[in-house]
Amino acid sequence: MRGSLSVPVIVDAAFVVLENAGLSGVTARAVAAQLGVRPSALYHHLPDMATLLDQMATAMRRDLVLQPVTGWRELLLETGRVLRRALLAHRDGGRLFAGRRLRDPSLLTAMEEPLRTLVEAGFSLEQAVTALQAVRDLTIGFVIEEQHRASGESGEYDPELRRLLVPVERYPLTAAASEPLFGPPDQRFENELGLVVAGVGTHLP
């Protein structure tokens, strides 16, 4: 198999391992076993596992295809929604994507257009970068939390137990916050994304 190995083939195998074993299971040994080769064969194509994770995140970034939008506000909303869908498409996708380096220079074209839209709307380049980064950071953090809750690692949310721990007589606001705090993730994400985008709008000259 070694002769037919390539970075895309290794990345595909790593995604299979990711779905089966989670991010912590993506090791050189596990990926090599998926491919039927020795772990050392991987290092003829990739210098280390960090580079493999970068390549996986880069592959995810290629899936971020924004639909045509009108206006800066719709651009930011669509950016958050598309990114969240791409991250949720993979087990531990939020954790995998966070902090990785993109390894494909051709993706720079896709990064140029959103910046141009924001700058042409009246934002400075610094504000445009900050706005896109704010949406990105919110989305990645939200998905990491969302996927962790869904994994069951932190236990199931128990409304009755929360009522015992947070008595309404003593903490009326915190107790009332249970519904939005533990509501449907789609609605929570839209609410939080909307607040970020509204905040961005206050900086428009």
Side-chain angles (χ1 to χ4, degrees):
M1 177 71 181
R2 174 175 160 182
S4 60
L5 279 183
S6 65
V7 171
V9 170
I10 295 172
V11 169
D12 287 345
F15 274 115
V16 174
V17 175
L18 177 69
E19 302 306 326
N20 292 332
L23 185 58
S24 61
V26 181
T27 64
R29 185 180 299 275
V31 175
Q34 178 66 31
L35 291 165
V37 300
R38 294 179 178 275
S40 59
L42 304 182
Y43 296 112
H44 289 277
H45 304 272
L46 296 162
D48 48 44
M49 287 302 295
T51 303
L52 173 57
L53 296 178
D54 286 348
Q55 291 286 0
M56 295 173 72
T58 300
M60 295 169 66
R61 178 65 180 80
R62 293 191 191 99
D63 293 335
L64 303 183
V65 179
L66 299 182
Q67 297 300 315
V69 295
T70 303
W72 66 267
R73 191 183 307 274
E74 290 72 18
L75 168 69
L76 294 178
L77 292 172
E78 180 71 1
T79 297
R81 291 163 182 162
V82 169
L83 176 57
R84 178 169 173 253
R85 286 197 295 269
L87 300 184
L88 289 175
H90 300 281
R91 180 177 177 179
D92 292 337
R95 289 173 54 210
L96 168 60
F97 197 81
R100 303 315 317 180
R101 294 174 55 194
L102 297 183
R103 299 283 180 165
D104 184 356
S106 70
L107 293 173
L108 293 175
T109 300
M111 298 170 66
E112 184 81 2
E113 286 305 315
L115 289 172
R116 179 178 291 109
T117 297
L118 291 169
V119 169
E120 289 179 352
F123 294 100
S124 69
L125 179 58
E126 181 179 358
Q127 289 172 329
V129 172
T130 302
L132 287 168
Q133 192 65 42
V135 170
R136 180 182 182 276
D137 291 348
L138 164 70
T139 305
I140 294 173
F142 187 96
V143 171
I144 290 174
E145 176 78 12
E146 181 180 6
Q147 291 184 318
H148 180 70
R149 288 188 187 183
S151 71
E153 293 179 20
S154 58
E156 295 295 331
Y157 169 62
D158 186 338
E160 184 58 34
L161 178 60
R162 180 172 173 80
R163 277 191 289 271
L164 294 175
L165 294 173
V166 188
V168 65
E169 301 82 9
R170 186 173 182 183
Y171 307 105
L173 296 179
T174 304
S178 297
E179 183 174 350
L181 186 62
F182 295 96
D186 288 350
Q187 187 58 57
R188 287 192 294 110
F189 179 72
E190 286 296 321
N191 291 342
E192 294 176 25
L193 179 62
L195 282 176
V196 169
V197 174
V200 170
T202 65
H203 295 276
L204 188 65

